[in-house]
Amino acid sequence: MALKLEPGAKLVAATHNPGKARELAALLEGRFEVVTAGALGLGEPEETESTFVGNALLKARAAAEASGLIALADDSGLSVRALGGAPGIYSARWAGPDKDFALAMSKVEKRLEEVEEDDRHAWFTCALAVAWPGGPAVVVEGIVKGELTFPPRGGLGFGYDPIFIPEGHEITFGEMDPAAKDAISHRARAFEMLRATLF
Ligand code: IMP
């Protein structure tokens, strides 16, 4: 079986987050018909793996099996070197049930103070997985490296963007024009790899 995605194929985006579904659909450039796992009434599997790649694969496989369609899933987050890679796959969970990223960012700052470490190196990771029902799967991972800064700066972007300065830049992702972020982000890099592999 050739692992190629034909234009016009129907894909299920394995997410219940409408914002993420829109982002995934936009990145697929209108090439495919995209439906979301939420719209199909599919359940959300528990993210039990210990890596971004593992969780992206788990979500894609579950959606492909449940829908009978080719499925696309992502998993992403921020890793901080001085914190041993935390929050990592727990990035969303650090924001709590209210998805409070001011809280999540202050938690990162507090933990860094606790470990009394000057190292501010961090990176964002995005794993993207495509799974065929009953068949194989492809997974890629994109990263962007940078440094953390406190207090948070900039009202653009989302999540941990206001504390992350990408390598080679002096402003945070929160201060950066979205198009400029999209040109260098972990998500853009993962998509570029997926495009090169499958289209
Ligand atoms: P997921 O939805 O389980 O993949 O969780 C991803 C988490 O990582 C979210 O809570 C995001 O806030 C955070 N994250 C992922 N990508 C970015 C980004 O580009 N900027 C800021 N935060 C991000």
Side-chain angles (χ1 to χ4, degrees), residues 6-17:
E6 300 305 329
K10 189 167 174 183
L11 297 187
V12 54
T15 176
H16 287 247
N17 174 339

Side-chain angles (χ1 to χ4, degrees), residues 20 75-77 91-92 101 124 158-161 181 186-187:
K20 212 177 236 186
D75 200 47
S76 58
S91 293
F101 281 94
F124 277 116
F158 66 98
Y160 297 88
D161 280 344
K181 178 186 169 188
H186 47 312
R187 201 161 287 105

Side-chain angles (χ1 to χ4, degrees), residues 15 24 35 39 88 110 126 155 157 162 170 179 190 193:
T15 176
L24 293 176
V35 292
K110 194 155 162 276
C126 174
E170 288 180 355
M193 278 184 262

